[in-house]
Amino acid sequence: MSNGEELAGILLKGSVTDAWDYIEKYNHLSNLEIYQDIITPAMIYVGQLWENFEITVADEHLASGVCDFILARLASKYKSKSEDHDAPKAMFLCLEGEQHNVGLKMTASLFEEKKWDVKFFGANLPVQYALKAAKEWEPDVIGLSVSIATHLPKLKEYTEVFTYLPKKPTILVGGRLTSMYNLQTFAANNPLIITNLYELNEWISNYQVEGRTNAIN
């Protein structure tokens, strides 16, 4: 049994204590490693069970709820807010109709660890409200999550409207569909497609290095 399947079984039992005890076995790993190598495979496996009608929607929600507890506890180690008022800003949201936001939470957490100013809007945010928030807050990065194929037509709408912002943000797109489709064909204006959290972490680090270099020059 893989780590993902083992943790999935614990999540589906609904015990936050057992789930946290399992995660603590990996406290020698970084949050990034736990997110990508332990939690992500577990939630993918839960999703596969649901798609194959081996568990119910209630089971899937129970597993997601326990997972949310784990993520919040892991993220709390880095929750001290940066005093840097010039810190780059990132906002994260799921497309309208999207309810699966575990991956998005892990993404937001990685940005917070790097001392970004983060706003997490979560699941199912209609495009008009996302655009309004972006106009008011002027983020440097907007992260979008899409996990259900029937929602892909909305991706072009979201990636299109953000190009009209006075301050042009970098658009990141992630979700489980990145391994199944060429999401560039469903998006406008060539957003950055993120396929895993290691790739994302490298991008954040490079962004910060470039930003500091530009500031010095």
Side-chain angles (χ1 to χ4, degrees), residues 42-149:
M43 293 309 295
I44 288 175
Y45 185 67
V46 169
Q48 291 171 342
L49 293 176
W50 177 75
E51 288 175 347
N52 294 330
F53 303 101
E54 296 179 52
I55 62 173
T56 67
V57 172
D59 294 325
E60 191 269 341
H61 284 194
L62 179 62
S64 295
V66 177
C67 188
D68 281 346
F69 168 84
I70 292 173
L71 295 180
R73 195 158 179 181
L74 287 170
S76 68
K77 295 186 293 185
Y78 300 94
K79 275 296 185 184
S80 56
K81 190 172 180 62
S82 173
E83 297 299 323
D84 182 5
H85 297 294
D86 294 322
K89 299 188 290 187
M91 59 179 271
F92 300 95
L93 57 120
C94 293
L95 305 191
E96 185 173 6
E98 287 281 344
Q99 300 295 337
H100 299 89
N101 61 14
V102 169
L104 197 68
K105 286 181 179 178
M106 293 188 287
T107 297
S109 177
L110 290 179
F111 275 82
E112 287 186 327
E113 287 184 27
K114 300 289 188 180
K115 303 304 181 184
W116 282 56
D117 192 0
V118 171
K119 284 191 176 182
F120 180 80
F121 290 93
N124 189 30
L125 186 67
V127 66
Q128 65 269 30
Y129 299 112
L131 182 60
K132 182 176 185 295
K135 282 181 178 177
E136 293 174 352
W137 197 50
E138 298 185 330
D140 299 282
V141 166
I142 298 177
L144 305 174
S145 178
V146 56
S147 300
I148 298 176

Side-chain angles (χ1 to χ4, degrees), residues 98 146-154 176-177 180-181 186:
E98 287 281 344
V146 56
S147 300
I148 298 176
T150 54
H151 296 155
L152 280 174
K154 297 179 186 293
R176 71 184 188 95
L177 296 183
M180 303 166 64
Y181 299 92
F186 295 92

